[in-house]
């Protein structure tokens, strides 16, 4: 059975196509899609959120296509279809579910939000279908928690094989209009010349997905490697760390939480060849001296890693200037990276930047924490990400439980990692390298007790290095 495409377009559908064209949600020309493919047509339906009347009318058209179907809930494919599903849910009193793109690293860690019953039927709502992969992924997520999917409704079927692919997976796709409908309407309204109609028709015919084949990897956003991300960085600290990670094939940071200098230097000497970074707490050293700092700096050069002082600055700008540059530790003279809470506001970043930027230091912001009951969640995390973006010349990334920013120059680091998940009885929650790197998108794992409490720290560091780097390769698809 072929995808349905009408020769006669209803007045309501023709009207919505024309209005989408008028607000530039549909464009014609030369566009590079995220797959790298050159296309003569581009749909940016996100623009409709600025036109409530258009959104209302689209949600009504979607409802008309499915009102005779059987379902107990709606689920919009993130993100453009979410407001459409919300309108349909509110207007017709149908419960709505939300599929998260990534599981939360806190709370219930759900992938599906909302109330549902085992075995209920859910209608998926989507804006555009090309290959059908987004609908299929949403259906798989729903089915993983016991929700059944038999139907999906979409505003635009691009007629590139998604209808047939979903049908082969047992999902009936209902579309308001097709690419053929778009060309028919816009040619009739004299918005398209015959030459562009032919060009788009040829493009669609030559770029179809086969029903029984997986979507080629070329159409999925490519995860950049550490080396590729380093080339995109204007922040020299981020660039250097990413290059070290690539050169050493290590995204492991050892947390050297020991209390005397000899133990610290011995641990760093043994683990240095296997790490990209050493995290210190110099204020817990019982015998701190400048000699310890000098030896740490020498080991960092010898084994090619960076020094991260886990000071967690959290005071007003004027105070952190003195904490960073002076006192007993003179942290800014030797640490490549420090970190901060944003509780005081952006002043803490400005104070650290004033001292650190001229010395080539970078800063991590604490967006999330691995301890039970942490308050660093939700709006706090969002505010942290925004402050990082506003200060990307100095901020190199985040301490977090998973990826919180899509900026490739921001490096995500997760503490509380062990080879097996669990807790320590004091509120620390341990996650595995595979969970945080492959599934949650973290770049660097920070490991403390799993290495320094081992009878053979060098061997333990090697094991964590291998596990973390293999998890990174799996994320790349290698």
């Amino acid at each position: 059975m072929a995808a349905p495409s009408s020769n006669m377009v209803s007045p309501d559908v023709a009207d919505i196509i024309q209005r989408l064209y008028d607000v530039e949600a549909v464009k014609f020309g030369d566009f590079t899609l995220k797959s790298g493919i050159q296309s003569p047509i581009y749909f940016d339906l996100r623009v409709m959120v600025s036109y409530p009347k258009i959104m209302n009318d689209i949600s009504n058209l979607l409802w008309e296509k499915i009102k005779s179907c059987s379902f107990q809930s709606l689920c919009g494919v993130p993100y453009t279809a979410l407001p459409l599903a919300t309108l349909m849910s509110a207007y017709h009193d149908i419960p709505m579910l939300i599929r998260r793109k990534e599981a939360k690293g806190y709370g219930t860690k759900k992938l599906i939000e909302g109330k549902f019953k085992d075995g209920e039927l859910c209608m998926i709502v989507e804006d555009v279908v090309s290959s059908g992969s987004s609908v299929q992924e949403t259906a798989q997520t729903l089915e993983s928690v016991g929700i059944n999917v038999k139907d999906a409704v979409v505003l635009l079927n691009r007629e590139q094989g998604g209808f047939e692919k979903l049908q082969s997976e047992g999902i009936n796709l209902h579309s308001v209009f097709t690419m053929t409908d778009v060309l028919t309407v816009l040619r009739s309204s004299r918005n398209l010349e015959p030459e562009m109609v032919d060009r788009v028709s040829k493009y669609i015919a030559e770029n179809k997905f086969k029903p029984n084949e997986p979507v080629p990897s070329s159409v999925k956003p490519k995860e950049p490697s550490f080396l590729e991300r380093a080339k995109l960085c204007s922040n020299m600290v981020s660039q250097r760390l990413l290059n070290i990670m690539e050169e050493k094939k290590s995204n492991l940071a050892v947390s050297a939480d020991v209390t005397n200098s000899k133990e610290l230097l011995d641990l760093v000497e043994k683990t240095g060849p296997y790490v990209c970074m050493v995290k210190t707490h110099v204020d817990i050293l019982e015998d701190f001296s400048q000699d310890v700092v000098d030896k740490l700096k020498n080991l960092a050069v010898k084994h090619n890693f960076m020094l991260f002082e886990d000071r967690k600055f959290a005071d007003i700008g004027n105070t952190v200037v003195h904490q960073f540059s002076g006192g007993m530790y003179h942290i800014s003279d030797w640490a490549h990276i420090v970190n901060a809470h944003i509780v005081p506001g952006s002043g803490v970043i400005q104070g650290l930047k004033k001292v650190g930027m001229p010395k080539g230091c970078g800063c991590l912001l604490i967006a999330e924490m691995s301890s039970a009951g942490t308050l660093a969640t939700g709006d706090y995390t969002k505010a942290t990400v925004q402050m990082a973006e506003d200060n990307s010349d100095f901020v190199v990334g985040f301490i977090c439980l998973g990826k919180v920013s899509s900026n490739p120059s921001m490096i995500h680091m997760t503490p509380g990692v062990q080879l097996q998940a669990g807790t320590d009885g004091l509120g620390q929650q341990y996650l595995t390298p595979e969970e945080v790197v492959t599934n949650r998108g973290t770049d660097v794992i920070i490991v403390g007790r799993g290495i320094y409490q081992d009878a053979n720290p060098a061997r333990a560091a090697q094991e964590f290095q291998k596990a973390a780097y293999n998890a990174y390769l799996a994320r790349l698809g290698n």
Side-chain angles (χ1 to χ4, degrees), residues 75-379:
C75 181
V77 176
Y79 288 102
T80 309
L82 287 176
L84 297 173
T86 302
L87 288 172
M88 295 165 70
S89 172
Y91 287 161
H92 302 284
D93 195 25
I94 297 293
M96 176 178 158
L97 305 175
I98 296 177
R99 171 204 160 202
R100 301 180 65 91
K101 281 206 168 184
E102 302 93 11
K104 295 186 296 184
Y106 54 90
T108 59
K109 303 182 182 180
K110 292 179 180 178
L111 279 169
I112 299 295
E113 301 287 359
K115 296 288 286 185
F116 55 86
K117 296 179 181 178
D118 189 48
E120 77 174 50
L121 278 174
C122 181
M123 172 70 68
I124 293 176
V125 181
E126 177 63 302
D127 59 335
V128 179
V129 163
S130 296
S131 68
S133 60
S134 293
V135 171
Q136 187 177 3
E137 289 169 7
T138 301
Q140 290 171 346
T141 304
L142 289 165
E143 289 165 355
S144 72
V145 295
I147 301 170
N148 295 326
V149 175
K150 292 184 178 179
D151 296 273
V153 63
V154 63
L155 179 63
L156 168 65
N157 174 11
R158 287 182 60 118
E159 300 177 289
Q160 290 183 265
F163 175 89
E164 293 83 0
K165 183 172 180 60
L166 291 171
Q167 190 175 61
S168 71
E169 298 290 333
I171 299 174
N172 298 312
L173 183 68
H174 310 268
S175 63
V176 173
F177 56 83
T178 65
M179 185 73 83
T180 299
D181 296 332
V182 173
L183 298 179
T184 299
V185 170
L186 296 180
R187 183 173 182 178
S188 297
S189 63
R190 300 181 183 275
N191 291 116
L192 279 186
E193 296 296 328
E195 293 78 12
M196 180 56 77
V197 173
D198 292 341
R199 186 178 167 198
V200 174
S201 297
K202 181 180 179 182
Y203 164 77
I204 296 300
E206 293 177 351
N207 290 275
K208 288 185 180 289
F209 304 98
K210 296 180 180 179
N212 297 319
E213 291 181 0
V215 179
S217 59
S218 61
V219 305
K220 298 176 182 176
K222 183 178 181 295
E223 172 85 19
S225 67
F226 293 146
L227 182 61
E228 290 168 332
R229 288 168 59 186
K231 294 175 181 177
L232 298 173
C233 289
S234 56
N235 186 312
M236 293 298 102
V237 180
S238 298
Q239 184 180 93
R240 181 185 170 194
L241 180 55
L242 286 164
N243 278 323
I244 289 173
M245 291 157 66
E246 182 77 25
E247 291 167 15
K248 295 185 72 173
K249 291 183 169 47
S250 174
N251 50 335
L252 166 66
V254 63
S255 184
D257 302 331
V258 294
T259 57
N260 71 76
S261 299
K262 183 179 183 305
E263 190 177 358
L264 170 65
L265 295 172
D266 183 56
L267 175 67
V268 174
E269 176 67 75
K270 290 176 179 177
T271 60
Y274 314 109
V275 302
C276 64
M277 190 168 65
V278 169
K279 183 175 78 70
T280 58
H281 277 295
V282 292
D283 56 354
I284 68 173
L285 287 176
E286 299 165 348
D287 55 348
F288 174 82
S289 68
Q290 183 59 43
D291 181 59
V292 176
V293 170
D294 292 339
K295 289 178 179 177
L296 276 177
K297 290 164 65 177
N298 289 336
L299 287 170
V301 173
K302 176 182 177 181
H303 295 301
N304 190 26
F305 59 76
M306 299 183 79
L307 290 168
F308 164 28
E309 168 54 23
D310 190 4
R311 175 61 177 77
K312 296 186 179 71
F313 292 98
D315 216 317
I316 62 172
N318 185 62
T319 301
V320 298
V321 164
H322 298 294
Q323 291 174 326
F324 192 18
S325 61
M328 180 187 299
Y329 304 113
H330 293 273
I331 297 169
S332 63
D333 291 337
W334 55 271
H336 303 113
I337 296 172
V338 292
N339 59 353
H341 291 288
I342 65 158
V343 173
S346 61
V348 67
I349 302 174
Q350 300 310 315
L352 293 172
K353 184 191 293 190
K354 180 180 178 180
V355 176
M357 281 283 285
K359 296 184 177 182
C361 300
C363 180
L364 293 162
L365 296 185
I366 300 166
E368 298 172 319
M369 296 185 72
S370 58
S371 53
T374 175
L375 301 180
T377 62
D379 290 340

